[in-house]
Amino acid sequence: MKCIALGAVEFLSKPLSEDKLRNIWQHVVHKAFNAGASAVSESLKPVKESVVSILQLQTENTQHESRAAVELEKVSQFSDNDHEHYPAPSTPQLKQVERLLDDGDCQEQTNCSTEKESGEHDGESKFVETTCENLNAESTPQQNKSEVTLVQKEAEEFADASKCESVVSPRPQNEKVLNNSESNTMSVNKVGVRSHKCEIKANRKKMKVDWTAELHKKFVKAVEQLGIDHAIPSRILDLMKVEGLTRHNVASHLQKYRMHKRHILPKQEDRKWLNQRDSTQRSYCIQRPIMPGPPSYYSNHTLPPPPLYPMWGQSGTQMAGMQAWGPSGYPLWQPAETWHWQPFPAMHADTWGTPVLPPPQPPCYSYSQNIPAVSNANAVDYMFGMPHSSFDDYPAEDVIDNVVTEAISKPWLPLPIGLNPPSTDSVLAELSRQGISNIPPSNNGYIPN
DNA sequence: GTTCTAATAT
DNA sequence: CATATTAGAA
């Protein structure tokens, strides 16, 4: 703890593992509780308050924000004059941590569901109706906040009849209707009492689709199920079964998606291969299964020359290799959802192929006839520009929830060590490389807590 | 008529 | 900025 207090910083590599998360949160909570009520630093005060209130309310907060690096210094110990000695590192981690606990809303999408004309014109419902179903009463400040933004949105929308725009998140995050298969048509959500505020009718106006995580996952899943070769907008649209989404929306998104797949992935892969070097951990060898079935998606002329992007030339999908890695290799036909479920134990922060995300919904095998190309969705959109900065880098919300809740509810748990061996090693290596070689042998390189 | 891509608009 | 829209080719 001393070291942390002195400004030790731990950098975590991106796919944040649950353990790391837990570690971090335990520190945060511990600090919030232990610093004497008087001495709680400004930065942690909100944390503590929040923790307390959360404990009382047994509220679960949902977040999908976590941090790659967490800085736990500048604790109250050096309250007065030492500030300049510890210029806060560029990353405002603590603030973010605060935010995590502080406002539970933190931009949880205002759950709206909308209905819109889907068939460009054959349809009868040529209007958009937006209802906000799930806005709990307006008690807490946070919620007020979200409502405010919502109201603002509405204001904008109403402001100009000709140019009203609203954000549609075709499916609320908390899917309750996950697999009620036939929900294509209908669904004018009954407007609840409280919805009066949220109700919007925008006649024949295009809605801007907010490609939320859920939505994108759906999209990806659809693409996977169709197989990359047959992933065309209309089919994707069908599979997604998202009301209010148009073919154009999907096409547009698909376009972007493909761009990312093409440009980012190959590079990423190259790098990964190169960096395999001394990695002490698993040496998964990416083996490329020979896929039967149609050759690559998209005629080859659109593809970069093989030498540049080796993975693209062959086998249905450039990701085919990813999901069949591993010592024994998974069956090719293994549905993507299966390895979404891969248990955490196998996870390492550096197990790059498989950021773990709990599936947003149970698998849908309705299209099982063709699963020609099951691809690693997560790997694909790992870098895919997502609604709010690649959240696929972060553990899923419920994971975070669990971790945070656990940390909060068990503040007495022993604090984990801040730095783990790998980090310590690299630190020592770097130090010695800089000439600082007289590191006290200490206890095996661990930094005492 | 659909899809794909690129360019452009919002 | 992320999406939408459009154009033009396949």
Side-chain angles (χ1 to χ4, degrees), chain A residues 95-267:
Chain A
K95 284 216 181 115
Q96 284 159 336
V97 168
E98 289 174 26
R99 245 179 68 230
L100 278 180
L101 276 177
D102 208 10
D103 47 35
D105 94 47
C106 185
Q107 72 99 328
E108 200 53 18
Q109 292 281 337
T110 61
N111 286 330
C112 297
S113 91
T114 72
E115 170 170 310
K116 181 196 172 185
E117 48 158 308
S118 46
E120 298 297 41
H121 19 272
D122 50 274
E124 31 279 80
S125 58
K126 295 216 84 168
F127 62 91
V128 182
E129 174 158 327
T130 303
T131 75
C132 296
E133 31 188 2
N134 159 6
L135 285 186
N136 313 326
E138 47 279 349
S139 42
T140 46
Q142 298 100 289
Q143 282 161 344
N144 281 343
K145 203 160 118 196
S146 68
E147 277 202 6
V148 165
T149 65
L150 180 70
V151 168
Q152 283 173 343
K153 247 178 216 161
E154 292 175 26
E156 293 171 9
E157 285 155 9
F158 281 122
D160 186 351
S162 67
K163 192 199 163 107
C164 60
E165 224 182 63
S166 73
V167 172
V168 52
S169 30
R171 290 284 180 141
Q173 344 241 285
N174 310 334
E175 276 300 20
K176 296 165 185 167
V177 254
L178 297 185
N179 16 345
N180 79 18
S181 30
E182 29 274 297
S183 58
N184 291 8
T185 38
M186 56 54 295
S187 99
V188 187
N189 291 306
K190 293 308 174 190
V191 188
V193 182
R194 70 170 82 84
S195 316
H196 58 285
K197 273 189 196 166
C198 314
E199 191 171 3
I200 300 170
K201 279 192 185 98
N203 281 345
R204 57 176 62 239
K205 246 329 180 185
K206 45 125 190 258
M207 287 187 126
K208 190 169 176 178
V209 171
D210 185 13
W211 285 95
T212 60
E214 306 303 319
L215 198 48
H216 177 65
K217 280 180 199 161
K218 238 175 211 163
F219 168 84
V220 171
K221 188 171 290 178
V223 171
E224 287 174 352
Q225 287 178 0
L226 285 171
I228 199 102
D229 294 292
H230 309 119
I232 63 177
S234 53
R235 289 177 174 234
I236 297 174
L237 186 57
D238 289 343
L239 266 188
M240 288 178 69
K241 296 227 267 295
V242 170
E243 37 186 293
L245 203 60
T246 70
R247 195 163 52 81
H248 289 275
N249 298 137
V250 175
S252 185
H253 196 63
L254 182 61
Q255 187 173 15
K256 197 175 96 180
Y257 183 67
R258 283 170 171 161
M259 290 268 292
H260 279 269
K261 274 175 107 172
R262 263 194 280 217
H263 292 124
I264 297 191
L265 257 170
K267 292 173 191 170

Side-chain angles (χ1 to χ4, degrees), chain A residues 3-178:
Chain A
C3 291
I4 292 178
L6 288 172
V9 173
E10 179 176 11
F11 291 91
L12 309 171
S13 42
K14 254 306 183 70
L16 192 54
S17 72
E18 190 177 352
D19 283 342
K20 294 286 190 184
L21 230 198
R22 182 176 294 112
N23 184 321
I24 292 164
W25 274 100
Q26 280 182 250
H27 272 95
V28 170
V29 171
H30 189 87
K31 178 59 65 183
F33 271 107
N34 285 2
S38 51
V40 181
S41 70
E42 282 307 309
S43 50
L44 279 175
K45 217 173 279 178
V47 176
K48 182 172 183 178
E49 291 169 3
S50 305
V51 164
V52 169
S53 66
I54 287 176
L55 270 178
Q56 293 169 342
L57 300 176
Q58 283 298 7
T59 303
E60 60 160 35
N61 60 11
T62 65
Q63 297 306 330
H64 46 247
E65 302 252 348
S66 64
R67 286 307 133 184
V70 165
E71 176 211 8
L72 290 175
E73 44 64 73
K74 88 189 211 185
V75 209
S76 48
Q77 275 94 332
F78 317 91
S79 41
D80 303 323
N81 34 10
D82 282 8
H83 290 154
E84 65 278 22
H85 289 199
Y86 308 98
S90 51
T91 48
Q93 313 299 356
L94 259 184
K95 284 216 181 115
Q96 284 159 336
V97 168
E98 289 174 26
R99 245 179 68 230
L100 278 180
L101 276 177
D102 208 10
D103 47 35
D105 94 47
C106 185
Q107 72 99 328
E108 200 53 18
Q109 292 281 337
T110 61
N111 286 330
C112 297
S113 91
T114 72
E115 170 170 310
K116 181 196 172 185
E117 48 158 308
S118 46
E120 298 297 41
H121 19 272
D122 50 274
E124 31 279 80
S125 58
K126 295 216 84 168
F127 62 91
V128 182
E129 174 158 327
T130 303
T131 75
C132 296
E133 31 188 2
N134 159 6
L135 285 186
N136 313 326
E138 47 279 349
S139 42
T140 46
Q142 298 100 289
Q143 282 161 344
N144 281 343
K145 203 160 118 196
S146 68
E147 277 202 6
V148 165
T149 65
L150 180 70
V151 168
Q152 283 173 343
K153 247 178 216 161
E154 292 175 26
E156 293 171 9
E157 285 155 9
F158 281 122
D160 186 351
S162 67
K163 192 199 163 107
C164 60
E165 224 182 63
S166 73
V167 172
V168 52
S169 30
R171 290 284 180 141
Q173 344 241 285
N174 310 334
E175 276 300 20
K176 296 165 185 167
V177 254
L178 297 185

